[in-house]
Amino acid sequence: MSPEKSRVLTGITTTGTPHLGNYVGAIRPAIAASKSAELDSYFFLADYHALIKCHDPAQVQQSAREIAATWLALGLDTENTTFYRQSDVPEIPELTWVITCVTAKGLMNRAHAYKAAVQANEDEQQDPDYGITMGLFSYPILMAADILAFNAHKVPVGRDQIQHIEMARDIGQRFNHLYGETFTLPEAQIDDDVAVLNGLDGRKMSKSYGNTIPLFLPEKKLQKAINKIKTNLLEPGEPKDPDTSTVFQIWQAFASKEQTAWMRKQFEEGIAWGQAKKELGALINSELSEAREEYEKLMADPGFVDAELRKGAEKARERAGKLLAKVKAAVGIPPLS
């Protein structure tokens, strides 16, 4: 009997257009993992999570299409992975309610996002819960259900998300204590080698800062965006410090070791910022041009994207359905017959 594969689960919130930071930090390593025969990988579009922050239905729908097409265009192996839309797997919200009933309110009170929202209200002398929805308050429970529904072993996250995995463990442990061993307790998988890219203004590339470079911009628009990266006033010929430069940092995320060493030398020799940005545009375009062409085809063929997601949802529902049946039997609501 072959050993059980390690189950790895990653969710992508459908609130924006994928950008270079998403690609380098999450999409590229995840797609590499999707080709591994040793992993049972789950990748999903977290569209229920999107509803917490975004109340524009067209944006949520468009973002889901763009993200799905992006992953497929970049070579996600849907035969070797389970790729689905959260809202296509009704077992997840159903499980959310069951585990909500064993989750301590005090645990949710400690969630970073909720505490930050309360603090912001208090700083502005508002009611502490002003503008805070139950979605924001209890979304760590939905996230726990995303993970526990498939008994995932590992969840790749940034350090700012570790608390959510710990909460999923606490909730799973509480259920197991009350009703018997049911859930695998997940572990956060932190990869400190994964690059966190800076954006146009030098801060972390993030939709919330409005400083992103969309992943599949056409070549000329890509170059135009790169030209907006903030640099210092050093003239051509003056040596520049690569280690404090966003241009060099992004270069390094796309370049080979040899290309990185070459660009470091160019910086020392005083390459002009305009030339460095032109080189960067060419490098990124060479990596993404083929996938961009495929992405444009997929965006023009939503039927194919939908079919891939439905195929993934069927696989996801089969697995989550078996676990949910076990959960319902454990709590006393199995079929009556």
Side-chain angles (χ1 to χ4, degrees), residues 242-264:
D243 299 321
T244 59
S245 163
T246 297
V247 173
F248 185 82
Q249 188 227 21
I250 298 175
W251 174 276
Q252 200 167 16
F254 284 86
S256 65
K257 282 183 182 174
E258 292 75 20
Q259 289 170 320
T260 299
W262 175 81
M263 184 54 86
R264 187 173 281 279

Side-chain angles (χ1 to χ4, degrees), residues 140-157:
I141 308 175
L142 175 58
M143 190 166 171
D146 290 326
I147 298 164
L148 297 174
F150 303 101
N151 273 337
H153 298 111
K154 294 190 182 298
V155 186
V157 288

Side-chain angles (χ1 to χ4, degrees), residues 139-211:
Y139 84 91
I141 308 175
L142 175 58
M143 190 166 171
D146 290 326
I147 298 164
L148 297 174
F150 303 101
N151 273 337
H153 298 111
K154 294 190 182 298
V155 186
V157 288
R159 293 197 172 273
D160 59 335
Q161 294 279 313
I162 291 174
Q163 186 195 41
H164 292 134
I165 312 307
E166 289 173 347
M167 287 179 160
R169 284 179 67 87
D170 287 347
I171 293 166
Q173 209 159 21
R174 175 73 176 151
F175 188 95
N176 289 352
H177 174 72
L178 289 172
Y179 297 110
E181 287 300 313
T182 307
F183 294 120
T184 299
L185 303 183
E187 291 179 14
Q189 181 176 300
I190 310 294
D191 189 348
D192 287 324
D193 295 332
V194 168
V196 176
L197 288 194
N198 289 339
L200 300 175
D201 58 3
R203 292 184 291 175
K204 175 187 169 184
M205 193 177 290
S206 169
K207 293 188 288 277
S208 56
Y209 293 148
N211 65 354

Side-chain angles (χ1 to χ4, degrees), residues 32-229:
S34 81
K35 299 179 187 339
S36 168
E38 291 160 22
L39 296 176
D40 184 11
S41 296
Y42 290 76
F43 300 108
F44 69 96
L45 308 182
D47 48 356
Y48 279 142
H49 283 287
L51 304 183
I52 297 162
K53 296 188 238 179
C54 183
H55 299 143
D56 178 348
Q59 187 184 338
V60 173
Q61 187 176 30
Q62 179 66 9
S63 176
R65 283 185 62 199
E66 288 178 0
I67 292 168
T70 295
W71 283 67
L72 293 170
L74 287 164
L76 181 73
D77 184 347
T78 56
E79 295 303 316
N80 195 45
T81 61
T82 306
F83 183 52
Y84 57 98
R85 206 165 55 145
Q86 186 185 34
S87 59
D88 287 336
V89 184
E91 289 79 5
I92 293 169
E94 195 172 345
L95 178 61
T96 300
W97 177 251
V98 177
I99 62 174
T100 296
C101 295
V102 302
T103 301
K105 176 178 178 286
L107 185 65
M108 294 299 98
N109 289 343
R110 295 194 291 275
H112 296 325
Y114 172 64
K115 283 171 71 177
V118 169
Q119 187 62 57
N121 282 337
E122 288 175 346
D123 290 347
E124 292 173 15
Q125 299 183 322
Q126 294 272 15
D127 179 281
D129 285 327
Y130 174 75
I132 295 175
T133 64
M134 285 305 297
L136 174 68
F137 181 70
S138 60
Y139 84 91
I141 308 175
L142 175 58
M143 190 166 171
D146 290 326
I147 298 164
L148 297 174
F150 303 101
N151 273 337
H153 298 111
K154 294 190 182 298
V155 186
V157 288
R159 293 197 172 273
D160 59 335
Q161 294 279 313
I162 291 174
Q163 186 195 41
H164 292 134
I165 312 307
E166 289 173 347
M167 287 179 160
R169 284 179 67 87
D170 287 347
I171 293 166
Q173 209 159 21
R174 175 73 176 151
F175 188 95
N176 289 352
H177 174 72
L178 289 172
Y179 297 110
E181 287 300 313
T182 307
F183 294 120
T184 299
L185 303 183
E187 291 179 14
Q189 181 176 300
I190 310 294
D191 189 348
D192 287 324
D193 295 332
V194 168
V196 176
L197 288 194
N198 289 339
L200 300 175
D201 58 3
R203 292 184 291 175
K204 175 187 169 184
M205 193 177 290
S206 169
K207 293 188 288 277
S208 56
Y209 293 148
N211 65 354
T212 64
I213 300 174
L215 186 58
F216 287 134
L217 285 177
E219 188 175 356
K220 284 184 180 172
K221 287 187 177 177
L222 171 65
Q223 189 62 59
K224 206 171 174 182
I226 288 167
N227 291 343
K228 292 178 185 171
I229 295 171

